[in-house]
Every structure is written in structure tokens, then in C-alpha cells.
Amino acid sequence: MTSHILDKPPQGAAEDWTVPQHWSRYTADDHAIWDMLFARQLALLPGRASQSYLRGLDLLRLSKPGIPDFTELSDRLMATTGWQVVAVPGLVPDAVFFDHLAHRRFVAGNFIRTRAQLDYLQEPDVFHDIFGHVPMLADPVFADYLQAYGKGGLRSLEYGALGRLARLYWYTVEFGLVQEEGALRIYGSGIVSSHGETRFALDDPSPNRIGFDLMRVMRTRYRIDDYQQSYFVIPDFATLLRATEETDFAPLYAEMAHLPDIRPDEIVAGDRVLSRGTQAHALSRA
Ligand code: PHE
Ligand code: FE
């Protein structure tokens, strides 16, 4: 999610670390890469992505094709749920990231991947940040969840519990699954923006799919180098919002300090297992 690369804004960035998107500097090829990735995911997502996500996608259909202009996108998002999109130079400090979320500002990188990186890249680019995250921000309940998460993030710093809370973000905002009309649907940005993981998360026998439980998730380590070994399933977004916003995390942080971490592939007592994975994918890569 975030890490400390610098401790003050780099040259050209504002006090809050934002930079101009410089939309006019994108090349025709940059826009063509966006359009290609967009079309490729669009062909895959109906029936696989949550209705909330699919409804929000309309927001990205702006007056011109290619990489969205953040100003135009922010105007539309602001009119929908009061969120904005702001550009930042790559990773920003945790407190800066949380503060933006707490003020309903989503931070996005402004560079786009190259043609050699269509399927995989380490750092989130504008396709991941915008295509992956922004449609969910058009959902009023999810929009409130992400703001509450930002406030909770600032609070977690006071308890030295950033790592715990980062796991919640990872297994919901980035890689979450939701139950809809009796089936599983994807809503996590890391899945919906990935051609390979869109299918893997729903259809592959390899990963575990486990009912969401707050403490369980915050105890679970995650992988950043491959598809997830476990996905957590929420019943709906209102339940996620209630379970997090109405819970004081301070006693949970205190309790977790005495509990061991859970491995990314592990099933533990008390899990509501929707499907137990074979882990064949991870084993084949080990
Ligand atoms: N209620 C949490 C706390 O006490 C904050 C939070 C809200 C965290 C929503 C995540 C999501 O810290
Ligand atoms: Fe992301």
C-alpha cells in the first residue's frame, strides 16, 4: 500500500504531496495502452464484478477517450459521492495517504505501465488506481467505508497498529470478494484491474475463499508478489461498513498483540470456509 520513501514532499509537490496530473503530457501510446486495458477488462467483468463496481464504471466514460483527466473525473465523482482524485508522485507517507482518504480524496499515480508490463507491474499505475479504485467510490456505502478507513488509519498510527490495518485494506479494498445474488463477485481493485486475477480469484481451485471476519483478516499476512492465496468474502458493503465503523479497534489491537499471525494460505479454527483451496498455483511457483 504505502511505505516511507521520502519524509517530505519532493520538488514540485505541494505540502499535501499532490502534484499536477499534467494530462496533456501523455502520449498517444499512453492513451492507447489505457484504452486497450480498459476494453480487455470490460469484456471480462460483467457477471464477475460486483454490481456496485459495474455501475460506477460509467463514471470513467469521460468526454474524451484515453487516460481520464483527473479534473473532469473529480467533478463527476464529487457530484456523485463527494470524492475527488488527486495525483501524487508514487508512494506517499502513511499519514499523508490516510489524511487524504479521511478527506475523501483518493490519491493516484499519474504514470501508465508500458506495453511490456500489461499483465504485471510492482507499483500501482494510473490504470490500477483509476480503473481499479474509482468505480467503487461511486457507491455511497463504499465511499463512506474508505473515508472511515482513512480516519481509522490515522488512529492506527497512535497504536502502532498500521500493519494490522493495512491487512484490512489489502483484503477488502484491494482484493475483496462480495456475495451477490447467491454468487461470488469481485470488487477489490487489485483483482478488477488484473486480467489474470479476475478469473483466478473466482474460478481457480487454488485459493481459499473464506467468510470475512475482522480480527481474522487483521491477523493474516498477504503476498505482494503473486495472486492471493486466500480471499475474504463480505456479505455486502453495508455489513463491512458497520463491522468496521462501529467497532473500536483499540481493544482489538491490544488483543492481537498476543496472537500469532496467520499464513496467507492457512485455514484456522472458526473460519467459515466457502472453498478450501488446493494451493496448486502457489505450489507450482515455489
Ligand atoms: N472504527 C475503527 C477504529 O476504531 C476505524 C475504522 C473504520 C477502521 C473503518 C477501518 C474501517 O479505529
Ligand atoms: Fe490499489
Side-chain angles (χ1 to χ4, degrees):
M1 174 168 67
T2 58
S3 80
H4 292 276
I5 35 159
L6 296 165
D7 46 23
K8 61 177 173 50
Q11 186 85 80
E15 240 352 78
D16 67 357
W17 288 70
T18 59
V19 293
Q21 182 192 14
H22 290 304
W23 191 85
S24 59
R25 291 187 193 170
Y26 292 119
T27 65
D29 200 48
D30 290 338
H31 290 302
I33 290 172
W34 169 280
D35 289 340
M36 202 270 279
L37 290 166
F38 192 106
R40 195 170 76 156
Q41 282 314 91
L42 203 61
L44 214 49
L45 291 176
R48 292 192 170 96
S50 159
Q51 289 299 327
S52 295
Y53 177 86
L54 293 171
R55 275 194 294 269
L57 255 182
D58 261 349
L59 208 77
L60 298 181
R61 298 196 172 89
L62 302 181
S63 56
K64 42 197 186 249
I67 300 166
D69 181 331
F70 290 179
T71 310
E72 190 183 351
L73 182 59
S74 289
D75 286 348
R76 302 185 61 171
L77 195 51
M78 178 61 88
T80 312
T81 51
W83 274 76
Q84 282 172 272
V85 177
V86 293
V88 291
L91 299 173
V92 301
D94 303 308
V96 174
F97 175 73
F98 292 138
D99 192 65
H100 280 297
L101 295 184
H103 291 93
R104 289 173 104 85
R105 288 187 299 265
F106 193 76
V107 300
N110 58 3
F111 77 99
I112 189 148
R113 67 193 71 183
T114 65
R115 283 183 189 273
Q117 303 167 307
L118 288 188
D119 294 309
Y120 184 78
L121 78 169
Q122 276 282 0
E123 255 203 275
D125 70 341
V126 67
F127 185 75
H128 167 81
D129 283 339
I130 301 300
F131 184 88
H133 286 280
V134 168
M136 286 307 298
L137 289 174
D139 180 276
V141 177
F142 192 86
D144 285 353
Y145 171 65
L146 205 57
Q147 177 180 27
Y149 181 91
K151 292 183 191 166
L154 292 170
R155 193 162 177 248
S156 78
L157 299 176
E158 295 165 32
Y159 292 92
L162 170 75
R164 303 283 182 198
L165 202 68
R167 290 167 177 175
L168 175 63
Y169 189 91
W170 192 263
Y171 283 119
T172 59
V173 179
E174 293 286 342
F175 291 98
L177 303 185
V178 61
Q179 198 89 53
E180 249 174 47
E181 296 166 337
L184 293 186
R185 297 277 191 265
I186 56 181
Y187 72 90
S189 59
I191 312 177
V192 295
S193 65
S194 159
H195 199 60
E197 198 152 359
T198 288
R199 275 184 288 218
F200 180 85
L202 290 176
D203 305 334
D204 202 280
S206 190
N208 301 317
R209 298 177 185 88
I210 306 167
F212 178 86
D213 175 85
L214 190 54
M215 277 273 265
R216 180 1 169 150
V217 164
M218 288 198 284
R219 290 178 55 203
T220 310
R221 297 200 315 263
Y222 57 82
R223 341 196 13 157
I224 58 165
D225 59 335
D226 202 346
Y227 298 153
Q228 298 308 300
Q229 292 182 272
S230 296
Y231 297 94
F232 292 93
V233 182
I234 57 168
D236 53 71
F237 298 107
T239 305
L240 175 65
L241 178 62
R242 244 182 291 113
T244 51
E245 198 175 36
E246 294 173 8
T247 302
D248 179 359
F249 282 28
L252 303 188
Y253 294 147
E255 192 182 339
M256 279 186 285
H258 307 287
L259 297 172
D261 278 354
I262 300 170
R263 289 194 321 268
D265 63 318
E266 211 174 330
I267 300 273
V268 298
D271 279 349
R272 194 165 52 79
V273 180
L274 285 92
S275 56
R276 178 184 289 266
T278 61
Q279 301 300 336
H281 175 81
L283 292 169
S284 76
R285 301 262 185 136

